[in-house]
Amino acid sequence: MRVRKNGLCKPKFTTRITRSSEVGKLNSYFEQARERIKNINWESNGMDKPSHTVLVTEFIRRGNTFLDFNSKDNNRRAVFNAAEIIKFDRPVHIKEECNGFVNANVDWVTEYLCTFYLEWAYVVDKKLPIALQFHDLYDPIIKLFERGGRISYHHNELVCGKHAWPRNSGAITRELSPQDIRDEVLDALDNLQKLFPT
């Protein structure tokens, strides 16, 4: 990714924050985010799928791109609160709302990510330039949850199914190419596994 000296580059993100036409009709990013989380079936925790690996990898890639602009520290956590990093004050009720949407049985990593996503959507609605540029920062991980994937920390790794990534995302190469995470592309990838199981 090329960075201009006197401005921010535009990441090559391929998806929008919306998932369905119904959500797309809502007026704000925060309302869209809240609706997405409310609609996740937390009881659905399906088999490990190829699309899950793509989504976690793309989430980490976007996170590193964001942190390249906002953090000089190369010791980074893959799971982070973007609103906190840019030091933007958020209403305390957002976390309470999130707790009402998320199944009590999910682990803390999932709960935190949903809260961070809601808070970031709130910041996007305030039209801060950095938030508008990275408006779909959390989209891959929320899409993972929508598709039945889950993540957790185990020792020094971020784990999804049988795959793992370093807990410190700064250790992950910046050479990763943007992933196409449209649902039709992910569905085709998962269907291919059904036809040719390993």
Side-chain angles (χ1 to χ4, degrees):
M1 176 177 293
R2 195 178 297 274
V3 181
R4 299 193 302 268
K5 291 183 179 179
N6 58 352
L8 299 176
C9 65
K10 185 176 182 180
K12 296 179 181 178
F13 295 170
T14 55
T15 60
R16 298 175 300 175
I17 198 168
T18 55
R19 176 173 169 81
S20 68
S21 58
E22 179 181 353
V23 173
K25 294 176 183 177
L26 298 174
N27 294 326
S28 70
Y29 279 100
F30 183 77
E31 288 176 345
Q32 293 173 24
R34 183 167 52 186
E35 196 66 20
R36 285 184 75 177
I37 293 176
K38 283 173 62 177
N39 288 335
I40 293 173
N41 179 6
W42 296 108
E43 304 300 325
S44 173
N45 191 355
M47 56 181 278
D48 195 22
K49 300 176 182 177
S51 63
H52 295 174
T53 305
V54 171
L55 289 165
V56 176
T57 301
E58 177 63 6
F59 171 64
I60 292 172
R61 187 194 70 79
R62 295 186 187 193
N64 269 334
T65 304
F66 171 83
L67 291 170
D68 282 342
F69 282 115
N70 296 281
S71 174
K72 296 180 180 179
D73 189 357
N74 207 38
N75 183 18
R76 306 169 170 182
R77 294 196 176 192
V79 175
F80 63 89
N81 187 337
E84 184 176 279
I85 286 173
I86 67 169
K87 297 179 172 57
F88 192 90
D89 290 333
R90 293 87 63 202
V92 294
H93 70 79
I94 293 180
K95 180 173 175 53
E96 296 173 359
E97 284 198 46
C98 186
N99 290 340
F101 302 149
V102 179
N103 189 305
N105 295 323
V106 303
D107 66 25
W108 67 269
V109 178
T110 300
E111 181 182 337
Y112 274 36
L113 279 167
C114 288
T115 302
F116 298 163
Y117 170 54
L118 279 175
E119 291 182 341
W120 190 240
Y122 176 85
V123 179
V124 172
D125 280 335
K126 299 304 178 182
K127 302 191 183 305
L128 269 68
I130 188 66
L132 291 173
Q133 180 180 357
F134 292 95
H135 65 90
D136 48 4
L137 180 62
Y138 290 96
D139 191 47
I141 209 68
I142 299 302
K143 184 164 284 195
L144 174 77
F145 299 156
E146 290 173 331
R147 298 176 68 87
R150 301 291 181 264
I151 62 171
S152 62
Y153 274 131
H154 181 68
H155 298 310
N156 289 316
E157 293 182 319
L158 183 67
V159 178
C160 178
K162 60 184 179 182
H163 302 280
W165 296 258
R167 183 178 185 134
N168 174 16
S169 64
I172 298 174
T173 177
R174 304 296 200 280
E175 302 300 319
L176 295 173
S177 299
Q179 303 291 305
D180 188 341
I181 61 170
R182 290 174 297 167
D183 284 316
E184 57 266 32
V185 174
L186 299 175
D187 289 343
L189 188 62
D190 291 341
N191 289 335
L192 196 61
Q193 184 192 48
K194 293 177 184 177
L195 293 173
F196 303 100
T198 55

